[in-house]
Amino acid sequence: TQLLEQSPQFLSIQEGENLTVYCNSSSVFSSLQWYRQEPGEGPVLLVTVVTGGEVKKLKRLTFQFGDARKDSSLHITAAQPGDTGLYLCAGARAAGNKLTFGGGTRVLVKP
Amino acid sequence: DAGVIQSPRHEVTEMGQEVTLRCKPISGHDYLFWYRQTMMRGLELLIYFNNNVPIDDSGMPEDRFSAKMPNASFSTLKIQPSEPRDSAVYFCASVPNSGGLADTQYFGPGTRLTVL
């Protein structure tokens, strides 16, 4: 059982559509990160959220940390083929750098 | 600056053989993590080091796995003997220590291990 559950596991959409990926847990996290991984490469950090209710925007990507710091979402507006990849959420339970990763959401944006 | 360097990028071996994976972290980073990624289990933490000292090895599957960090610029993950179920992509990540809640993990490109 994953401590962090991501949904959906797979998402296929057309270019220009919007999408939302969810990351849920029954545990409280001190911070939560989102990474994107492309085939043949390691994950790359997109954002870190640390405050309950926090919203961060990165161009067409919007990240939200739940008020209770147990869940997070990633919303992509007007998706482009370059957004294709595996999106991973990762939570830290306490100060320090040990992360627990979710199972990942594989996103395919078709031109 | 060079990122995290892992070698080899691909390894194919036969069951029972010893496998050694290598990692060179980013200079100046205090933490080094070893992960394993499979389709079934996702990205799993195996072990991590702080200032070359192993801090948490609870993710190491069994005694066949061992990891060392003899100095700040080099770490190895060894599997002996290897088994087909060890087939996965193994990642190394290094992390600076800014004292914050969660610093960025910088991942290497991974080593794809296939055990026949």
Side-chain angles (χ1 to χ4, degrees):
Chain A
T1 302
Q2 294 272 1
L3 191 61
L4 277 170
E5 297 283 347
Q6 285 189 238
S7 61
Q9 290 183 304
F10 179 72
L11 199 52
S12 178
I13 61 172
Q14 292 294 136
E15 181 176 3
E17 294 181 340
N18 302 333
L19 69 97
T20 302
V21 177
Y22 299 93
C23 177
N24 295 299
S25 176
S26 57
S27 302
V28 175
F29 290 95
S30 58
S31 65
L32 196 135
Q33 298 180 325
W34 285 92
Y35 289 79
R36 181 169 67 206
Q37 183 179 15
E38 299 189 16
E41 300 180 7
V44 176
L45 180 70
L46 296 173
V47 77
T48 300
V49 286
V50 298
T51 305
E54 182 177 3
V55 176
K56 280 193 175 179
K57 292 193 174 185
L58 185 66
K59 296 184 181 178
R60 294 175 294 98
L61 279 60
T62 301
F63 304 86
Q64 185 163 8
F65 201 12
D67 291 342
R69 290 186 288 132
K70 293 182 179 181
D71 54 84
S72 180
S73 63
L74 156 61
H75 182 78
I76 302 179
T77 302
Q80 299 177 0
D83 296 324
T84 293
L86 178 67
Y87 288 82
L88 296 159
C89 65
R93 299 287 297 276
N97 291 299
K98 180 178 178 179
L99 294 176
T100 299
F101 280 83
T105 295
R106 199 165 297 276
V107 172
L108 173 63
V109 183
K110 293 181 281 188
Chain B
D1 282 341
V4 174
I5 299 172
Q6 290 187 246
S7 64
R9 291 296 310 276
H10 301 274
E11 176 81 32
V12 180
T13 190
E14 292 188 345
M15 182 173 63
Q17 296 298 307
E18 177 179 296
V19 175
T20 299
L21 311 181
R22 297 173 176 80
C23 175
K24 178 178 170 54
I26 295 172
S27 177
H29 284 193
D30 294 330
Y31 289 84
L32 186 140
F33 293 76
W34 281 101
Y35 292 92
R36 176 172 68 177
Q37 187 175 40
T38 61
M39 290 292 290
M40 288 296 294
R41 300 175 68 87
L43 194 62
E44 302 174 281
L45 175 64
L46 299 176
I47 184 172
Y48 78 96
F49 297 82
N50 181 22
N51 292 322
N52 314 336
V53 176
I55 302 300
D56 185 344
D57 66 354
S58 59
M60 296 285 262
E62 47 198 271
D63 292 345
R64 297 184 298 105
F65 285 68
S66 62
K68 294 182 180 180
M69 192 164 186
N71 57 63
S73 60
F74 184 65
S75 177
T76 59
L77 177 67
K78 186 176 292 186
I79 308 173
Q80 166 64 19
S82 58
E83 296 182 3
R85 61 189 167 127
D86 301 331
S87 297
V89 181
Y90 290 80
F91 287 101
C92 170
S94 73
V95 184
N97 184 12
S98 69
L101 285 172
D103 296 300
T104 303
Q105 299 215 357
Y106 294 85
F107 284 80
T111 295
R112 180 173 295 276
L113 173 65
T114 302
V115 183
L116 303 174

